[in-house]
Amino acid sequence: MKSDPGLRTAKAAFLAAMAGLATTAATYTYGSGNQIEQLPIVLRSIEPSYLSHDFFVNSASGFGPRFYFAEFIAAVAGSPSRVPAVYLALTALSNVAVSLVTFFFARALYAKSDEAGLLASAAVMSVTTFPLGFCPAIYHASLVPAALGSPWIFAGIFASVRGRLVLGSTLCGIASIFHPLFGLEAALLSVACCMVTELATARAVPKRLWGPLLLSMLLIALFSALSLIPYASQPRISSEHFVRILAEFRHPHHYVPSTFSPMEYLSASAYLGALLIAGIWWRTMAVSTRKEAVRLLVLGVLILTLCVAGFFFVEVVPLRIWVTAQPFRLLYLLKWLGLVLMAGIIADRFHRDRDQEAGLFLVGLLHPLATGIAFLSQWLRAAAPPGLRFAQRILQPSTVVFLSLGALVAVATERHLFAVLHLTVATLICFPRKYVAAAVPLGAAAMWLAAAVYWQGDLPDDFRSHTRVLRSLSLQIGHHELGEDGAELAGFARRHTPADSLFLTPPNWGQFRLVADRAVVVDWKAFPFQDSAMAEWYQRLANCYGPFHSEKSLPAEAAEIRRRYQRIRDGELETLHDLYGISHAVLHSGTPTRFPTLFENRDFKLVKISADSLVGPIVSTKRSLPITMRLSRSDLRQCSSVHQEPRPSQGGIGWLPPPRVNGLCYP
């Protein structure tokens, strides 16, 4: 494939960087999602006194997988007031770096084709792949440890595929500072790919590679020591309890393959099938060396083998080390590699004036099922004997486009329009005379949008959020988890409660500690990864919101936990006050209580948990004047003391104290 002389590499690289900035502007969020459990650690690293009564912040501020990430952000920001701006800047920098690495990787794989590089960067910065494993999108809408690690890992894989093993190991090792698990696994994969490739092509590892291999292993050992030595010095719980709490209860959607939905497996299979076909076509184009092709093949086989082993050693014979490894996360590398190879195939089809195929593949990128349909259909079309005219007609790109659109409409939940915009702009830039072909994805998007509006009656939420670019770039915390009424109550708590207050909140209100700037006794989002803290986290959840079914996961329990909290009684609140020292509780507006209400709106109310007589003002948006209530403490004892022996272990958490303590009597 030859590069278009009119498209210089520097110009294309600049446009790739702009794609990273555009993606950040369109998708950026702050203070929600995984940042709920990461921002407090960063703020504690900056201010040692931050939320000193918060269990999660206290436990997670010790050494853990987020330690170096938090220390890095704290060092760059210097003060809490600069954290929002630092988060935005680093998110943009991460997306730009990923886009540029993708550009140069695709350009290298496709014989210095700038068009392939630019299309690849546009795809990586917009396309949503399959959800199985880590996350469906390669770009990052918010700053998390993986966002800082991804550019280094992709650059390390790039270097390793090109045969620069020491550089690849070093880059992946740097990524392990921000994300220990992903970075170290990528580094080991790079070394393994090199060794297996040499054994497959030369039947032995040549002596000239012994030095780089040993140096790479030494570097990996040094980077591993940064995390493994401090982690090994911490107290540990048994492997059985570790697996139960971390994988089966809290994160089954990440760790337990049997909980992944059939649609996730179907989408992954379709996408990986398309990746295999794109790889075969790439190899037949004679733009790569044999060793490069073998390294990429070995990389894919190793990752899939690790996933199969992850299933066996998590589901059949649970082992702590395999649960910790979380091998399905490595599919993230195949998602990235797939977009790189597929973008190069699209550029090749445009160059060969096969615009219908190129347009079909662009449409296919909008969803993994459509990706599989597009690439499989054209592979079958090329392989079909000339006599099968019916198959040739059915598999024409213009026909398959409508099949792909059907797949999109059936699962219209991703950011399709956003991807169409990026891919179309990149196509027009790369191939200025291909307006008709570039109109194919635009027409497909219009048809998809019309069908989605007709069948669903509304525009997708993601599309609506993308039209609010200025709001997305706000440095303020969005209130996605709390809602408007919850955010109003959190603001009142921030202004009118003591800084050392400890709150009991609804179980999914981890964002409350960020918005209200107040400590929370426990929530189910903020999970500490230290062993002893895991056990304490589980016990606090059970005491505040339990009891739990030993065989169920937290996602399965979520609806029942919410209903249970809506019926919480004053006696239980008093017991939690004695047990943990809670000073305030956020209750649903319909929950009866005799504790003094400090604030109330349509959905929630804030009550003060007092150890003495229950006296306090009620300030409500439903009332024009405050009301003072005076009740004796004896009026609040509505539960008799309940004693429960520790449960026997039956695949659950029988080693822990009872989930209900004296006074906690949920109906």
Side-chain angles (χ1 to χ4, degrees):
M1 184 188 305
K2 297 181 180 180
S3 289
D4 184 350
L7 184 64
R8 297 182 181 275
T9 301
K11 176 183 177 182
F14 173 78
L15 293 172
M18 291 300 100
L21 291 177
T23 294
T24 305
T27 65
Y28 181 73
T29 59
Y30 175 69
S32 59
N34 288 336
Q35 288 184 349
I36 289 174
E37 53 184 337
Q38 293 160 1
L39 266 172
I41 308 175
V42 173
L43 295 173
R44 169 61 67 87
S45 297
I46 297 175
E47 288 188 354
S49 61
Y50 173 74
L51 298 187
S52 58
H53 297 309
D54 192 287
F55 153 73
F56 168 74
V57 179
N58 289 336
S59 60
S61 60
F63 185 84
R66 310 178 184 107
F67 178 78
Y68 294 118
F69 169 81
E71 291 296 318
F72 173 77
I73 300 297
V76 173
S79 69
S81 62
R82 288 197 286 267
V83 168
V86 169
Y87 263 61
L88 174 59
L90 289 178
T91 304
L93 183 61
S94 170
N95 284 328
V96 169
V98 168
S99 186
L100 286 174
V101 170
T102 300
F103 168 80
F104 286 107
F105 186 40
R107 186 175 181 274
L109 291 182
Y110 285 95
K112 298 183 179 180
S113 169
D114 293 327
E115 298 91 335
L118 187 53
L119 280 175
S121 65
V124 165
M125 284 295 109
S126 60
V127 170
T128 302
T129 65
F130 60 92
L132 193 68
F134 176 46
C135 64
I138 308 301
Y139 61 86
H140 291 278
S142 60
L143 187 70
V144 292
L148 293 184
S150 295
W152 299 99
I153 290 174
F154 292 152
I157 296 298
F158 179 13
S160 299
V161 169
R162 302 289 286 181
R164 306 182 67 180
L165 181 59
V166 175
L167 176 60
S169 301
T170 302
L171 293 172
C172 293
I174 294 173
S176 71
I177 298 175
F178 305 111
H179 199 294
L181 177 63
F182 199 19
L184 293 176
E185 288 179 341
L188 291 172
L189 274 175
S190 299
V191 173
C193 282
C194 176
M195 295 180 65
V196 174
T197 299
E198 294 298 332
L199 292 174
T201 56
R203 303 295 181 182
V205 179
K207 292 184 178 180
R208 61 180 175 79
L209 285 181
W210 289 2
L213 280 173
L214 291 175
L215 181 56
S216 297
M217 293 304 296
L218 177 60
L219 289 170
I220 293 173
L222 292 176
F223 281 112
S224 300
L226 293 175
S227 298
L228 295 182
I229 292 178
Y231 180 74
S233 63
Q234 297 178 349
R236 299 179 69 180
I237 60 178
S238 70
S239 297
E240 177 187 358
H241 305 143
F242 177 88
V243 172
R244 166 58 185 159
I245 296 175
L246 176 65
E248 297 176 359
F249 181 74
R250 176 58 181 86
H251 301 96
H253 53 293
H254 290 314
Y255 291 87
V256 184
S258 63
T259 64
F260 304 160
S261 70
M263 179 57 71
E264 289 183 278
Y265 284 109
L266 179 61
S267 298
S269 300
Y271 185 89
L272 294 177
L275 167 58
L276 178 61
I277 293 172
I280 293 173
W281 286 342
W282 166 70
R283 185 70 187 105
T284 59
M285 291 165 60
V287 294
S288 64
T289 65
R290 181 167 180 259
K291 283 193 174 181
E292 285 178 342
V294 174
R295 288 189 189 109
L296 290 180
L297 177 62
V298 170
L299 176 65
V301 171
L302 284 177
I303 290 175
L304 294 178
T305 302
L306 289 172
C307 289
V308 173
F311 175 84
F312 182 82
F313 290 113
V314 172
E315 299 273 8
V316 182
V317 184
L319 295 179
R320 180 188 180 110
I321 188 171
W322 279 99
V323 172
T324 303
Q326 197 179 340
F328 278 86
R329 176 186 293 271
L330 294 172
L331 291 172
Y332 188 62
L333 294 176
L334 296 186
K335 299 172 186 179
W336 174 65
L337 180 60
L339 292 178
V340 170
L341 289 176
M342 293 173 198
I345 295 299
I346 294 171
D348 172 68
R349 295 304 189 265
F350 274 133
H351 268 293
R352 291 196 279 159
D353 292 324
R354 294 165 66 175
D355 299 345
Q356 283 195 349
E357 285 185 45
L360 168 63
F361 294 148
L362 282 172
V363 173
L365 290 182
L366 301 182
H367 192 275
L369 291 180
T371 306
I373 293 173
F375 278 84
L376 179 61
S377 66
Q378 299 314 294
W379 181 75
L380 291 174
R381 177 168 169 258
L388 295 179
R389 295 182 179 179
F390 176 75
Q392 292 286 342
R393 293 174 181 175
I394 290 296
L395 297 176
Q396 286 291 329
S398 57
T399 303
V400 180
V401 163
F402 292 96
L403 296 177
S404 300
L405 286 176
L408 295 181
V409 173
V411 286
T413 59
E414 310 295 347
R415 296 168 174 170
H416 302 321
L417 299 181
F418 176 53
V420 165
L421 175 63
H422 270 61
L423 295 173
T424 302
V425 170
T427 303
L428 292 175
I429 292 173
C430 292
F431 311 98
R433 293 182 299 276
K434 306 293 184 178
Y435 291 106
V436 175
V440 172
L442 283 177
M447 294 180 65
W448 167 82
L449 180 59
V453 171
Y454 177 79
W455 289 107
Q456 301 181 17
D458 199 0
L459 287 172
D461 291 338
D462 286 331
F463 177 73
R464 289 198 299 269
S465 66
H466 291 161
T467 63
R468 300 192 296 266
V469 174
L470 294 179
R471 183 174 178 181
S472 297
L473 285 177
S474 171
L475 300 182
Q476 304 299 317
I477 294 174
H479 304 141
H480 302 81
E481 281 76 12
L482 301 181
E484 293 183 2
D485 286 348
E488 183 185 23
L489 186 146
F492 177 89
R494 187 186 188 106
R495 297 187 300 270
H496 298 288
T497 61
D500 60 351
S501 301
L502 180 62
F503 282 75
L504 175 71
T505 66
N508 58 329
W509 268 37
Q511 196 182 45
F512 179 84
R513 63 168 58 86
L514 295 175
V515 180
D517 198 25
R518 295 294 182 267
V520 175
V521 63
V522 72
D523 71 282
W524 66 32
K525 177 63 176 177
F527 180 81
F529 283 90
Q530 296 82 353
D531 280 37
S532 57
M534 289 183 194
E536 173 66 15
W537 172 85
Y538 180 90
Q539 188 58 58
R540 284 177 176 246
L541 276 183
N543 286 341
C544 295
Y545 311 112
F548 299 141
H549 299 284
S550 61
E551 72 280 1
K552 285 189 176 182
S553 65
L554 181 56
E557 293 263 17
E560 177 58 30
I561 291 174
R562 291 191 185 98
R563 288 193 295 267
R564 199 180 293 148
Y565 187 71
Q566 291 176 352
R567 303 192 300 266
I568 193 169
R569 298 176 178 176
D570 286 342
E572 302 165 57
L573 295 175
E574 189 176 16
T575 301
L576 291 174
H577 168 76
D578 295 336
L579 186 61
Y580 296 119
I582 63 171
S583 58
H584 298 80
V586 178
L587 305 179
H588 292 270
S589 58
T591 302
T593 182
R594 295 182 181 178
F595 282 105
T597 301
L598 306 181
F599 177 86
E600 184 175 2
N601 57 24
R602 181 181 57 185
D603 291 334
F604 302 102
K605 57 187 173 185
L606 173 64
V607 302
K608 179 174 176 57
I609 312 298
S610 175
D612 301 320
S613 59
L614 303 181
V615 180
I618 298 179
V619 180
S620 171
T621 58
K622 296 180 179 179
R623 301 176 177 87
S624 57
L625 296 173
I627 302 174
T628 301
M629 302 173 64
R630 181 179 297 274
L631 299 171
S632 66
R633 194 171 172 182
S634 60
D635 293 334
L636 302 178
R637 292 188 172 88
Q638 300 177 5
C639 292
S640 60
S641 178
V642 177
H643 177 71
Q644 181 179 347
E645 294 296 330
R647 291 172 288 165
S649 179
Q650 297 178 350
I653 310 295
W655 61 281
L656 287 172
R660 289 191 289 181
V661 298
N662 291 345
L664 295 187
C665 43
Y666 291 95

